[in-house]
Amino acid sequence: MKKTIILTFACLFLLIFPWNVASAQTESNRKERNAITAGNKLYNEGRYRAAMKKYQEAMKLNPNSASGRYNLGLSQIRLGTNPSDTSQAAKNMLKEGLTQMELVSKMGSERPQLAARANYNLGNVAFDSEDYSNALNFYKQSLRLNPDDAAAKRNLRITQLKLQNQNQDKDQDKNKDQNKDQDQKQDQNKEQQQNQNQNQDQNQNKDQNKDQKQQQPDINQQTADQILKAMENKENQTRARVNTGNQGDKSTGRNRSRKNW
């Protein structure tokens, strides 16, 4: 008898417990939906910080809430991209928002429409940062999940044009750099050629100066003539004295010796 009562009690407990769990889950879901609804109202009013708190409340009630995570990330991105707030706190807020949005973007098999919107938002953030390559990938992924999204199609086309122009600008800058390098190389070659010509001219001038120095006499002609004239006068004077001496010694027959010139 005692054994039968215990078994019956256990059966009754098992029947009541699932009903209580289901009831509690329903209440939690209701509170979650109410928090998200309240957050959406605040978000539409531009009160993004208050909306964020409501979405965080919903996430506490259901950590796996895809809608709560998406809206939380969206409000954080709004706060993080406020042009009037460039603080580090805003940058951290944007980083957290992107993390939440990336998690939702990977829910393509569970929530394809929501994942498509998450990829679309990630594409917008990348586009605003001029990261057109990543923006293009996000828009493509969004359209894979929701091919009928006209806004994603438009943004995809705009991004393709931006990326094309960016690549053209890079090619132009590359060509400019190459032309600049060629011009610098030509200038260097021209300068080297000028230096070589200058060195050749200097060497030629040195050779000419050397030749001129070798060809140039030690004394000019006028000075030489004067020296020769003086020597000739001196020689004439000496000859005259010798002649006079010879005449004076004529009686003795002695010849005076003469120095050779």
Side-chain angles (χ1 to χ4, degrees):
M1 181 68 180
K2 196 172 183 179
K3 185 176 180 181
T4 305
I5 293 173
I6 293 175
L7 290 175
T8 305
F9 181 80
C11 292
L12 288 173
F13 177 77
L14 292 174
L15 290 173
I16 294 171
F17 181 74
W19 180 85
N20 289 334
V21 171
S23 178
Q25 187 66 42
T26 301
E27 180 65 17
S28 178
N29 291 341
R30 184 181 66 80
K31 289 181 179 180
E32 175 196 345
R33 288 194 301 270
N34 289 340
I36 292 175
T37 301
N40 291 344
K41 183 176 183 297
L42 293 169
Y43 182 93
N44 292 330
E45 293 173 355
R47 300 167 62 185
Y48 304 122
R49 193 169 296 277
M52 179 185 68
K53 292 180 179 179
K54 285 295 181 181
Y55 298 136
Q56 288 173 336
E57 182 181 331
M59 288 295 296
K60 288 180 180 179
L61 293 167
N62 180 14
N64 296 322
S65 174
S67 298
R69 189 178 300 280
Y70 172 87
N71 290 323
L72 175 61
L74 194 61
S75 61
Q76 289 173 329
I77 289 173
R78 283 287 190 176
L79 291 169
T81 55
N82 184 359
S84 61
D85 187 359
T86 58
S87 64
Q88 185 60 43
K91 294 178 181 178
N92 293 337
M93 184 71 72
L94 175 60
K95 186 177 180 180
E96 291 176 9
L98 292 175
T99 299
Q100 300 293 347
M101 201 63 66
E102 287 172 358
L103 291 172
V104 178
S105 70
K106 295 177 173 62
M107 297 180 180
S109 59
E110 306 168 20
R111 301 288 297 275
Q113 294 297 319
L114 198 63
R117 298 306 298 171
N119 278 284
Y120 175 83
N121 292 329
L122 290 170
N124 288 345
V125 174
F127 184 92
D128 290 340
S129 301
E130 296 184 359
D131 186 3
Y132 302 125
S133 180
N134 277 330
L136 189 70
N137 292 331
F138 283 127
Y139 292 138
K140 286 181 178 179
Q141 182 60 23
S142 178
L143 287 170
R144 290 189 187 100
L145 296 169
N146 184 14
D148 298 328
D149 191 339
K153 289 180 181 178
R154 182 184 66 250
N155 288 2
L156 175 66
R157 180 55 181 161
I158 293 172
T159 304
Q160 288 173 333
L161 294 174
K162 283 285 188 179
L163 193 59
Q164 182 179 355
N165 292 334
Q166 190 179 65
N167 292 334
Q168 289 177 351
D169 292 339
K170 288 181 180 179
D171 291 339
Q172 290 177 356
D173 292 339
K174 185 177 180 180
N175 292 333
K176 286 181 180 178
D177 292 338
Q178 290 177 348
N179 293 334
K180 185 177 179 180
D181 292 339
Q182 290 178 355
D183 292 340
Q184 289 178 347
K185 188 174 181 180
Q186 290 177 355
D187 292 339
Q188 290 176 351
N189 292 334
K190 184 177 180 181
E191 185 177 357
Q192 290 176 354
Q193 184 64 36
Q194 289 176 348
N195 291 334
Q196 289 177 356
N197 294 335
Q198 186 176 3
N199 292 334
Q200 290 177 356
D201 293 340
Q202 290 177 351
N203 292 333
Q204 289 177 356
N205 291 333
K206 288 181 180 178
D207 293 339
Q208 290 177 356
N209 292 334
K210 185 177 179 181
D211 292 341
Q212 290 175 357
K213 187 174 181 180
Q214 290 174 350
Q215 294 174 0
Q216 187 177 18
D218 294 335
I219 56 178
N220 56 37
Q221 188 65 38
Q222 183 179 0
T223 302
D225 292 342
Q226 289 176 352
I227 293 173
L228 290 174
K229 186 67 175 176
M231 291 175 63
E232 184 178 356
N233 291 335
K234 188 173 182 180
E235 185 178 358
N236 291 334
Q237 291 175 0
T238 301
R239 187 179 295 109
R241 286 197 301 271
V242 170
N243 290 334
T244 303
N246 289 336
Q247 291 177 357
D249 294 336
K250 190 175 180 179
S251 58
T252 59
R254 181 174 60 87
N255 295 325
R256 293 184 177 272
S257 62
R258 296 179 58 191
K259 293 180 178 181
N260 296 325
W261 293 89

